[in-house]
Structure formats: structure tokens, C-alpha cells
Amino acid sequence: MHVWSVANQKGGVGKTTTVVTIAGLLAEVGYRVLLIDLDPHGSLTSYFGYDPDELEDSVYDLFNGNKKVAKDDVTRLLLKSSHERIELIPASTAMATLERKAVGAEGMGLQVAKALSHVKDRYDYVLIDSPPVLGVLMVNALAACQHLLVPVQTEFLALKGLERMVRTINMINRARTKKLSFTIIPTFYDRRTQASVSSLRELHHNYPNEISNAVIPVDTKFRNASIQGLVPSVMDSSSRGVHSYARLLRSLLERQKQEAL
């Protein structure tokens, strides 16, 4: 089972779109995929038609006191998505209280990793949607994954947010036995604007080894897919955005293959 987290310490950069699009592409070729929504805003949960304000069971339950996470605690949280090979562990607004509860608590940063150990034979891939804030939830996402995807909107303020994210990755790596590798994904690219063009150029200059060659364009088809709760590749497999994510996925799978060798 391969675990990829999607994170950035800035909101609105395309994290949820990245999660659902890659998940759909993996599912389309037969992989079993689990999505985990660690963002209290619950965008990923809402995408598939669930209301984070109404859900009684959510990923929040994995952080319930010092109770050891059992297999039943994980499997009862699983919800169906619009794709038969994709399942979801949803978020709830109660997760916003976790930061306060985590103060002084031990082991809170590994709850998701422990939970995934119970379903490692059930899925081929796990994709984790992280909140845009450094705290116990993002720490869980970083601790649980083998590779990190960092979507970055191609505009100046997003580049400043990326600097904070890279500092966080470096901090996390000091506590890991194996360094967490990451891929920067340029998003919302519009070649007609100087802001996008210059931002992409700066990303290549500052992060030549981490930036993906796949650039995700502005594409209204993503919005149309979210309205219907469908993964974008099912909504319109020929769209520019889906083609760009497919190119990204091919590079990620090739990287994974090389690392295995």
C-alpha cells in the first residue's frame, strides 16, 4: 500500500482537486484507493456529497483520547464515493477542536499511520487531503505518507506559502529515519498571464529537482466535476486538466518504480 499526502500551508491551491483527480486516474486503471479528509473544512468530504456538519462518525474518532486504534475503529468510518474503487474516511467540523486537545497529549501525531496499518491489504493507494495549517492534523498526514505532493498556485503569494511548507518538511525530516520526498505541482496555470509565467519560471529556478514537469492549467471542467461529485476523469477524460494530472501520475509511478529498484 502506497500513501501519498497532499499538503500546503496555503489554502486555495488545488489540494482537493489534486486528491480526487489522481484518485480517479488510479481507480480507472484498477487500483483500490482510500481517501482521507484531514481538513476540518471538509472539502473532500463535501465533494462526494457528505455534510461534515452532520456526520456522527469521522476521522475525528481516531483521535479519541488515548484509546488504541483497532481495525473496527477504522473500517466503520469508511464511506462510499461516486467511484466503485474509491472509499473515503470523512472529516467533520469537530476536528477543529483537535489542536486544543492535542496539547500535552502523547502519540497524537501517529494516529493516522496506526489506523492505516489495519487496512494495508485492502487498498493499493491512500491519498490524504491535509489542512492548510501546521498542527496535529498536518503532522499526521506527513508522518503517515511515503511521498508528499505540494500543489502550488502559480502566483506570488503562493510561492511565499511554499517557502513555509518547505521549512516544515525540513523540520519533519529531522525526526524521520527516511527523509520525506516531495513533488511540487504548479496549479492554476494560465500562460496568458505574466504572473503565471514568471511564477512558474521561479519555481523551476528555486526547486529544479522537486518540481513536476506536469503543469495543471486553469480548467472549468474541475468545477463541473465537483458539482456532480464525480472524479474529473469520469466527468471528462479528455479535458486539459485531466491530461495534465495523468502526466503527473505517470511520473509519480515511474519514480515509485525506480525507488523500489
Side-chain angles (χ1 to χ4, degrees):
M1 183 177 75
H2 305 281
V3 185
W4 295 342
S5 288
V6 180
N8 194 325
Q9 286 171 248
K10 184 183 184 305
V13 296
K15 291 190 299 295
T16 300
T17 297
T18 297
V19 169
V20 296
T21 308
I22 291 178
L25 290 167
L26 287 167
E28 287 294 293
V29 294
Y31 289 116
R32 302 162 299 168
V33 184
L34 173 64
L35 305 183
I36 302 179
D37 192 351
L38 285 185
D39 191 341
H41 290 105
S43 296
L44 180 59
T45 300
S46 299
Y47 191 103
F48 291 110
Y50 299 102
D51 187 346
D53 293 321
E54 301 293 334
L55 289 172
E56 292 185 4
D57 299 320
S58 74
V59 72
Y60 174 81
D61 299 347
L62 300 179
F63 298 87
N64 192 6
N66 294 319
K67 178 185 174 184
K68 185 177 180 181
V69 178
K71 185 174 183 177
D72 289 346
D73 295 324
V74 182
T75 55
R76 70 179 178 81
L77 300 178
L78 299 174
L79 298 177
K80 294 184 180 298
S81 75
S82 57
H83 197 292
E84 63 181 357
R85 283 188 286 273
I86 300 175
E87 291 186 311
L88 168 72
I89 294 181
S92 68
T93 50
M95 291 161 58
T97 67
L98 279 176
E99 297 303 328
R100 185 177 69 252
K101 293 184 177 181
V103 176
E106 294 183 4
M108 289 283 276
L110 297 174
Q111 291 301 96
V112 171
K114 292 175 182 175
L116 289 178
S117 68
H118 294 297
V119 292
K120 61 184 179 181
D121 296 327
R122 183 176 178 130
Y123 303 103
D124 301 299
Y125 286 87
V126 179
L127 293 171
I128 301 174
D129 195 2
S130 306
V133 178
L134 178 57
V136 66
L137 291 168
M138 183 182 285
V139 167
N140 267 268
L142 300 182
C145 73
Q146 293 117 17
H147 191 67
L148 178 65
L149 306 180
V150 186
V152 180
Q153 187 175 356
T154 47
E155 55 94 13
F156 177 72
L157 290 178
L159 299 189
K160 302 304 290 185
L162 175 61
E163 292 176 11
R164 292 193 298 273
M165 190 67 225
V166 171
R167 287 197 294 270
T168 296
I169 295 169
N170 291 335
M171 177 187 71
I172 291 290
N173 278 337
R174 287 196 288 270
R176 289 175 62 117
T177 53
K178 182 180 179 182
K179 286 190 174 183
L180 177 61
S181 58
F182 64 98
T183 298
I184 295 170
I185 307 166
T187 59
F188 294 98
Y189 182 70
D190 186 346
R191 65 182 179 182
R192 299 169 299 180
T193 68
Q194 183 59 35
S196 273
V197 172
S198 60
S199 296
L200 182 61
R201 187 183 303 119
E202 187 170 347
L203 284 171
H204 276 285
H205 179 266
N206 293 339
Y207 306 97
N209 298 319
E210 291 81 19
I211 189 169
S212 167
N213 287 325
V215 178
I216 312 303
V218 174
D219 191 339
T220 58
K221 299 293 180 65
F222 289 136
R223 186 183 304 113
N224 296 340
S226 68
I227 291 171
Q228 297 197 34
L230 298 173
V231 296
S233 55
V234 168
M235 180 72 183
D236 186 354
S237 62
S238 64
S239 73
R240 293 183 304 130
V242 169
H243 275 292
S244 294
Y245 272 111
R247 183 182 179 189
L248 168 65
L249 179 58
R250 286 194 296 270
S251 68
L252 292 172
L253 294 177
E254 181 60 28
R255 178 194 182 107
Q256 181 180 283
K257 181 179 177 181
Q258 293 298 323
E259 288 179 349
L261 294 175

